[in-house]
Amino acid sequence: MKHLNWDDLRLLSLIAQEGTLRGAARRAGLSPATLSRRLDQLEEAVGQKLVERHQGGCVPTTFGVDMFALAEQMSDIALEVEHAQARQNASSASGVVRINTDEWLSYFLTTRFAPFHDAYPDVEVEIVTSHRPYNLARREADIAIRPYRPEQLDLVARQVGTLSFGLYGSQAIATRYAAAIANQDWTGVPFVGFDEPRAEFQSDQWLRALPGAPAPWMRCSYGLGILDGVTHGAGLGVLASFLASEAHGLVPAIAHIPELDQAIWLSMHRTVRTTARVRAVVDFVGLLFAQYHEGEG
């Protein structure tokens, strides 16, 4: 057996968790071609095939099943080492803090985080935007900020605020359809919303349920696309209220949609909650949401 690259075993663990090279490559921050090459190198090092690759995904060989189990054990040990290191560095406000959140909240953070750098110049912040929640126990991220409370028992969570939504349009749309908006006669009003794969989102379900409203004629795969379309006169769209208040020239057709309110939860693994860099970020995020709600009042 040739010398093993232990990092390749970590990649093998990701393949086991995702079931596809593409999914594992995305988690690892590699291209599928690079991950495939690394898998080839690992199979060459152990002298046996580990994975049967099919169009629908990856199926481990008998030997691969044993190697997957060992890779998982190594991943768990590596996490314990990281946790021990985090505890050792608990008094040092330096290093990288990764925040996993969704699109609206990502925009909320990135547009407000600049003062943090002045206070903590040695802390680097990575804001990872995804609809899929990252696994905090496996240190895919240090902090998650999501519109629901996590269920994992090893996470520490607290509600940091509430995100509200409204129905907005540009000044041109508000003027053109003023009578219809005032009467809530949505029959001939143009709308902007999510595309079909995201039509199950609560905001899009609400929009499509408006009495007499046509389906959105402009459909986007991401929330900021809706903001762009609404801002530039494509129609009415559901937007997070903080976005609409900061965007120039947007007019509320319905300023607040109570049924779309989202409780926002910040969560982290219990082993990182006392580290100085994570604590600094958590406190700053709490301050941002407190200021946001003070501004609403």
Side-chain angles (χ1 to χ4, degrees), residues 274-297:
T274 59
T275 61
R277 66 182 188 278
V278 171
R279 190 72 261 162
V281 171
V282 168
D283 290 344
F284 187 77
V285 170
L287 177 63
L288 290 182
F289 275 96
Q291 292 172 341
Y292 165 58
H293 289 298
E294 286 175 5
E296 282 188 325

Side-chain angles (χ1 to χ4, degrees), residues 1-6 40-48 67:
M1 181 181 291
K2 297 182 179 180
H3 178 70
L4 286 178
N5 182 336
W6 297 117
D40 290 339
Q41 292 172 349
L42 181 59
E43 290 180 332
E44 181 181 355
V46 300
Q48 295 194 51
M67 289 292 289

